[in-house]
Amino acid sequence: MGAFAKIVATAMVSIFVQNAIFERALGANVVIYASRKNSHVVGFTIGMTAMTTVASIISYFLDGLLLPLELGYLFMPLVYVTVISILYVLALLFLWRLFPDTFALIKKHAHLAIVNCTVLGALFLNSAYGSDIWSYIGYGFGTGIGFFLACFMLNIAHEKLDSNKIPRAFRGYPIMLIYIGIVSMGFYVLVGYTAKF
């Protein structure tokens, strides 16, 4: 399989079959926050997709160095958090120096889009299931696009779920979690999981 085909295939798996939000509930709180405004959906998606893709490329090389070691897997959480932190600081410095207007717009929410469990979870899943650089890139990119899909679906549902027809106790965060659970079950059916009774 060609490199591009492998990237696309892995991205499709991470978007639809192993969606970080609907399959593993990674970053559900961030997607609920980001889905409240249309501008947040795009901004959070760009930040998360860039971070998961670049961090996945770096983690491929670090995995190759540390995972063959006897206790290398014990250091992976620290290594991944360090990689994410360094990339976060470098991205903010880059935007601050070259694009100050953009930096002023995103500085309030950048930490939510970049430093969250969706990004960290993508790196762990890559180290567990990734086979080569192309699958790492595809899974990292697909995780960001899968976040967009989840955020877009919640953005559309937000108005309906925040209506007066919903009991007051369920409005806001509780109904969104219930909605995510229902959509997650739909994703499970699409990929072939069946309940055994």
Side-chain angles (χ1 to χ4, degrees):
M1 186 183 318
F4 183 73
K6 188 152 195 172
I7 290 171
V8 170
T10 311
M12 289 299 171
V13 166
S14 67
I15 293 169
F16 297 110
V17 179
Q18 293 184 355
N19 187 293
I21 306 300
F22 296 133
E23 165 84 12
R24 303 183 189 278
L26 296 172
N29 58 341
V30 175
V31 80
I32 289 171
Y33 177 79
S35 68
R36 292 181 182 167
K37 292 184 180 177
N38 292 341
S39 61
H40 286 175
V41 172
V42 175
F44 273 71
T45 299
I46 290 170
M48 189 168 299
T49 303
M51 178 56 79
T52 54
T53 305
V54 173
S56 292
I57 293 169
I58 294 170
S59 71
Y60 170 76
F61 296 106
L62 294 174
D63 286 353
L65 293 173
L66 292 175
L67 288 179
L69 301 175
E70 184 178 345
L71 298 175
Y73 66 92
L74 293 175
F75 296 102
M76 296 318 290
L78 179 63
V79 169
Y80 290 157
V81 169
T82 304
V83 167
I84 292 168
S85 300
I86 290 171
L87 287 176
Y88 171 67
V89 170
L90 290 175
L92 287 181
L93 287 173
F94 174 78
L95 290 172
W96 175 65
R97 290 295 278 164
L98 298 178
F99 303 101
D101 294 336
T102 305
F103 175 76
L105 287 173
I106 68 161
K107 69 180 180 181
K108 183 178 178 183
H109 303 291
H111 64 285
L112 291 174
I114 295 175
V115 183
N116 62 55
C117 59
T118 306
V119 176
L120 187 60
L123 301 182
F124 279 116
L125 292 170
N126 262 336
S127 68
Y129 302 114
S131 57
D132 58 8
I133 186 76
W134 310 117
S135 63
Y136 273 67
I137 293 170
Y139 198 82
F141 181 75
T143 299
I145 301 303
F147 178 85
F148 171 75
L149 174 70
C151 204
F152 180 72
M153 290 176 73
L154 291 179
N155 182 276
I156 291 171
H158 186 71
E159 186 177 316
K160 299 278 186 194
L161 294 176
D162 203 26
S163 74
N164 291 331
K165 295 179 181 176
I166 304 294
R168 189 172 200 70
F170 286 103
R171 283 187 210 150
Y173 199 72
I175 195 67
M176 288 302 247
L177 288 177
I178 292 169
Y179 179 72
I180 289 172
I182 292 169
V183 172
S184 297
M185 288 187 284
F187 268 75
Y188 267 57
V189 169
L190 284 175
V191 297
Y193 293 110
T194 55
K196 294 181 171 94
F197 295 100

